[in-house]
């Protein structure tokens, strides 16, 4: 589950991670009032007005502005609120901005030069360990840094059974070429950040930039936090952090129906059971010259109700030219799924796109007969090559 920057910062602060101070606002007037409040708290004379959407690259799309006065905060908030913000991480149509974060100015005079760093915490699936990825090149596209100057990307792998050790936090500060007070502040920051990652059951923390102020304070200026949906049962208060306006409406409906659905931008609808089979099915579609329109896992109980719901969700996408159903009958019998497909087809009325069905496993032969005898616009396949050929014909 993705959350907003201001929500992520609040979680970080609860674990002792230093953050830049900010106040959320939903109207230009609230933005000006927030700036006045920040001025009283921090003495700041400049403010960052930052769009709050679930996407990075907001500055490139005009979603982050630096204001030099209270009135300018109101002006920028008026420009940003309600806009369709387009960034490299949003859909082509962008995302509507419903709120802005008014953040304190961190570029103030001092004895040393301010610096920006990059830091993220995530799981290394190859080793089964958590890792902290960090670089001196903060504020930039980390992918470009990794591509052009990979020597500037550092990692610390952390055994989750042991946790981050003092020498690892010191190594991070050393690699970032910090000294004195800033060195100690960075070791504290990295340690607290890792504890927060574990404590909230996150799957990703990305802080870009981690900022060193001119008086050697280390703080998170921006953050991207992704929470592990499978661990939300341990954090009931996190459900209120979910912003449904940021999610695809079909994904919300699927979630309410107990289905795993992710909207994509292709032309072939997918209905499968099992994430591994889903990935293989999407690869097959790509190899056949098509593009997956969605990821839809109906799980091990692919009965007629779930199949019908799945069809309804897929058919709401006008780009879909055909639907591929690829089910392995292990727990569920293939003939039961086939009857569910026929029933769902009849209940939905006229379906204007072909449906390709591959059912393998228990009673697959019976299932094939049910599909073949249905006299509906449904094509049965056994081999992957048959599926590929049918997909090619459908999208042409």
């Amino acid at each position: 589950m993705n959350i907003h920057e201001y929500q992520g910062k609040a979680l970080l602060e609860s674990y002792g991670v230093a953050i830049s101070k900010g106040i959320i606002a939903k109207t230009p007037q609230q933005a000006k009032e927030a700036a006045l409040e920040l001025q009283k708290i921090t003495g700041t004379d400049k403010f960052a007005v930052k769009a709050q959407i679930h996407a990075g690259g907001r500055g490139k799309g005009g979603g982050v502005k630096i204001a030099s006065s209270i009135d300018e905060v109101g002006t920028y908030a008026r420009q940003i609120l309600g806009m369709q913000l387009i960034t490299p991480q949003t859909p082509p149509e962008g995302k509507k901005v419903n709120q802005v974060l008014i953040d304190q100015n961190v570029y103030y005079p001092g004895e040393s030069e301010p610096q920006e760093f990059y830091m993220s915490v995530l799981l290394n699936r190859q080793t089964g360990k958590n890792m902290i990825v960090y670089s001196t090149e903060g504020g930039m596209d980390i992918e470009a840094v990794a591509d052009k100057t990979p020597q500037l990307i550092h990692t610390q792998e952390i055994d989750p059974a042991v946790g981050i050790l003092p020498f690892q936090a010191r190594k991070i500060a050393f690699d970032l070429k910090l000294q004195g007070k800033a060195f100690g502040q960075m070791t504290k920051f990295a340690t607290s950040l890792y504890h927060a990652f574990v404590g909230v059951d996150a799957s990703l923390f990305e802080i870009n930039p981690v900022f060193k102020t001119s008086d050697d304070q280390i703080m998170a200026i921006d953050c991207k936090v992704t929470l592990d949906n499978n661990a939300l049962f341990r954090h009931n208060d996190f459900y209120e952090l979910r912003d449904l306006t940021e999610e695809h409406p079909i994904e919300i409906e699927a979630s309410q129906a107990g289905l795993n659905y992710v909207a994509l931008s292709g032309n072939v609808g997918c209905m499968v059971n099992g994430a591994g089979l889903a990935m293989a099915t999407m690869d097959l579609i790509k190899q056949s010259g098509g593009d997956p329109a969605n990821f839809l896992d109906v799980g091990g109980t692919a009965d007629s109700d779930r199949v019908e719901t799945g069809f309804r969700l897929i058919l709401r996408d006008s780009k879909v030219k055909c639907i591929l159903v690829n089910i392995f009958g292990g727990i569920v019998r293939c003939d039961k799924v086939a009857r569910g497909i026929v029933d769902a087809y009849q209940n939905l009325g006229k379906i204007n796109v072909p449906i390709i069905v591959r059912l393998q496993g228990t009673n697959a032969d019976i299932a094939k007969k049910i599909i073949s005898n249905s006299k509906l616009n449904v094509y049965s396949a056994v081999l992957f090559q048959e599926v590929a050929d049918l997909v090619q014909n459908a999208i042409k």
Side-chain angles (χ1 to χ4, degrees):
M1 183 176 77
N2 292 321
I3 60 177
H4 288 294
E5 172 196 353
Y6 76 95
Q7 296 169 322
K9 281 183 174 179
L11 290 180
L12 295 184
E13 190 176 33
S14 69
Y15 281 84
V17 180
I19 63 169
S20 57
K21 301 298 182 184
I23 300 174
I24 202 71
K26 296 185 178 181
T27 67
Q29 183 58 37
Q30 287 181 3
K32 293 173 68 174
E33 292 170 359
L36 282 169
E37 185 66 22
L38 277 179
Q39 199 170 51
K40 293 177 184 177
I41 297 171
T42 65
T44 186
D45 56 349
K46 292 184 179 180
F47 311 87
V49 184
K50 308 169 77 174
Q52 297 296 285
I53 61 171
H54 289 173
R58 292 167 295 165
K60 295 178 181 179
V64 178
K65 301 287 186 181
I66 303 300
S68 300
S69 67
I70 301 295
D71 287 338
E72 208 168 49
V73 167
T75 299
Y76 286 143
R78 192 172 294 106
Q79 293 174 2
I80 295 173
L81 286 167
M83 74 182 294
Q84 287 292 127
L85 181 55
I86 299 174
T87 82
Q89 297 183 20
T90 64
E93 68 276 12
K95 287 191 172 185
K96 184 178 180 180
V97 180
N98 296 309
Q99 50 193 347
V100 292
L101 178 65
I102 311 304
D103 225 7
Q104 73 176 103
N105 173 40
V106 293
Y107 285 92
Y108 47 79
E111 297 180 357
S112 64
E113 282 292 320
Q115 288 179 267
E116 294 184 353
F117 307 107
Y118 172 90
M119 189 173 293
S120 62
V121 190
L122 64 161
L123 171 66
N124 185 337
R125 296 185 182 277
Q126 292 182 328
T127 64
K129 294 181 179 180
N130 295 323
M131 63 180 180
I132 298 179
V133 181
Y134 54 101
S135 174
T136 54
E137 306 304 296
M140 299 177 61
D141 291 330
I142 198 63
E143 294 84 359
V145 176
D147 181 51
K148 297 177 181 178
T149 53
Q151 71 275 11
L152 298 179
I153 305 290
H154 306 276
T155 61
Q156 285 290 318
E157 284 211 341
I158 300 169
D159 188 331
V162 177
I164 186 170
L165 297 173
F167 84 88
Q168 293 176 305
R170 292 194 297 268
K171 182 67 165 58
I172 291 171
F174 179 81
D175 288 338
L176 295 176
K177 299 179 173 56
L178 295 172
Q179 298 177 344
K181 178 182 176 182
F183 186 99
Q185 290 289 311
M186 181 58 78
T187 61
K188 179 182 178 182
F189 181 93
T191 301
S192 298
L193 185 68
Y194 181 79
H195 289 160
F197 174 81
V198 175
V200 303
D201 289 306
S203 55
L204 172 70
F205 273 2
E206 186 175 50
I207 316 299
N208 191 21
V210 176
F211 193 76
K212 183 190 82 66
T213 65
S214 56
D215 57 355
D216 290 336
Q217 300 292 325
I218 303 295
M219 62 177 67
I221 302 303
D222 194 2
C223 76
K224 179 179 180 180
V225 174
T226 302
L227 301 173
D228 186 350
N229 284 340
N230 295 314
L232 289 178
F233 72 95
R234 296 198 293 213
H235 308 275
N236 290 329
D237 53 326
F238 286 0
Y239 285 102
E240 64 187 33
L241 302 179
R242 186 180 182 187
D243 186 350
L244 296 181
T245 65
E246 288 289 322
E247 299 181 25
H248 197 289
I250 301 180
E251 293 180 2
I252 296 172
E253 185 177 337
S255 175
Q256 292 170 346
L259 300 176
N260 294 315
Y261 181 100
V262 178
L264 301 173
S265 57
N267 54 8
V268 180
C270 307
M271 187 187 305
V272 299
N273 64 335
L277 184 59
M279 301 305 292
T281 301
M282 290 194 288
D283 287 343
L284 175 66
I285 290 169
K286 292 290 288 186
Q287 292 166 7
S288 303
D291 281 305
N294 63 273
F295 170 102
L296 174 57
D297 179 4
V298 295
T301 55
D303 55 26
S304 58
D305 289 339
R306 292 173 74 83
V307 170
E308 182 175 336
T309 301
F311 279 142
R312 289 185 186 278
L313 294 173
I314 293 171
L315 290 169
R316 285 177 56 184
D317 186 346
S318 60
K319 300 187 296 295
V320 170
K321 293 185 177 180
C322 73
I323 299 175
L324 172 56
V325 180
N326 193 5
I327 300 289
F328 176 73
I331 299 174
V332 61
R333 299 197 326 260
C334 290
D335 58 315
K336 184 178 179 181
V337 176
R339 289 194 176 90
I341 292 171
V342 173
D343 290 345
Y345 196 111
Q346 293 171 339
N347 291 339
L348 288 170
K350 186 177 181 181
I351 297 179
N352 295 321
V353 298
I355 298 174
I356 302 164
V357 178
R358 177 181 181 268
L359 299 173
Q360 284 295 295
T362 308
N363 291 349
D365 52 341
I366 300 174
K368 191 175 188 306
K369 291 179 181 177
I370 293 172
I371 297 297
S372 300
N373 295 333
S374 67
K375 297 181 180 180
L376 301 174
N377 192 18
V378 179
Y379 303 90
S380 180
V382 176
L383 302 176
F384 262 37
Q385 185 59 52
E386 291 179 297
V387 174
D389 293 340
L390 288 168
V391 169
Q392 284 181 337
N393 292 333
I395 61 179
K396 288 178 181 178

